[in-house]
Amino acid sequence: GRLVAANAVGETPRSYFRSKSKRERERAMRRRSIWAWVVAIVCFVVLMIVTPAIPQSQEYHDFADQRRFFGIPNALNVISNFPFLVIGLIGLVLCYYRNYFKLSLEGELLGWTFFYAGVAAVAFGSSYYHLEPNDARLVWDRLPMTVAFTSIISIFIIERIDERKGTVSIIPLLLAGLFSILYWRQALHFSSVNYLNLWSNILYWKINLSVKYWENCLVRFFDDLRPYALVQFVPCIAIPLMAILLPPMYTHSTYWLWAAGFYLLAKVEEACDKVIYDWTYHIVSGHTLKHLCAAMVPVFLTLMLAKRTIETDRKSLLKTWKVSWTKVKVNGNDQEVSYSAVSVVESPA
């Protein structure tokens, strides 16, 4: 009956079955997407149940370099945020100046706008925090970084997976990042309360509970960095993997790997804050270098946007690279000592 109706409107049997197959593929893709979200949510809930909470350590605020210059406390940690403002504003201007970045996919402009706005806001939030490091100010340091992290994920979905899904995911991912900050921050609200009397009638017994008891309960659910850690570190793993495994829409995909490398270096410098400060004879601390290296991430992404063009031959970096290991004998044993990367030339079918 449907085939007769298709012929009645001038649709050939071949085009009818082709459109039917396309609709079936779209329905299957929607089902896979729904299941992917369900699995991700279930994994997150299980992770939150079985793993212990990660409270914010107060030692985090004790930075190596606390020198004051020109009346600015923690001066180098404050001033080193200035590059974020510069590159963030440059990126925002170029996003809208005559389509300089040649953004052609749906949602790209919105995604990159959020990214560069987050980068520029890091300069203000991080500077505000480093003027007087504490938990309350740390919120304003982490919030703009979360905007940048989540927008990058949505941009990658737009470019590598599906334009529409990536565009739709921008706001939910931003809200997820905001939730990760609020989830950690909520416990601080209760610390300002001296006593809270909660009366409940359970089996005719009235129970008076002090705020200390409830603070201990709330720490398990609120003073917790696990959601924020996921928001921060999942992009660090997912973006390099997607850059290598998924075929790109544009050229110059290796810039993503350079950006990921500089961010990894920044995290190492952050962890070695006091060690680097000692190594440099108190000239510069690891946290200051962390700011400068992290600012290189948007620099490389801006260069990528300025240089890239539409990729005509879409191949993943994994297919482009071929790793060949050279084995030599050392004391009679075969050892892999070096490798070289060469392009793979695929023969036409």
Side-chain angles (χ1 to χ4, degrees), residues 102-115 150-174 239 242 246-250 256 305 308 310 314:
K102 301 179 180 64
L103 304 175
S104 60
L105 300 179
E106 181 185 359
E108 276 190 311
L109 182 60
L110 182 61
W112 285 110
T113 298
F114 275 117
F115 172 74
T150 53
S151 58
I152 278 292
I153 286 291
S154 63
I155 289 168
F156 236 89
I157 296 173
I158 292 172
E159 290 188 8
R160 305 292 176 114
I161 300 176
D162 185 83
E163 297 178 35
R164 183 176 174 276
K165 291 177 182 177
T167 303
V168 172
S169 70
I170 293 176
I171 300 302
L173 286 174
L174 289 172
I239 288 177
M242 288 194 291
L246 300 180
M249 181 73 181
Y250 299 99
W256 286 106
L305 291 173
R308 71 183 189 177
I310 299 292
R314 297 188 62 178

Side-chain angles (χ1 to χ4, degrees), residues 135-151:
D135 282 347
R137 292 186 174 219
L138 186 56
V139 173
W140 302 105
D141 179 31
R142 287 176 171 168
L143 189 58
M145 287 192 292
T146 303
V147 172
F149 292 143
T150 53
S151 58

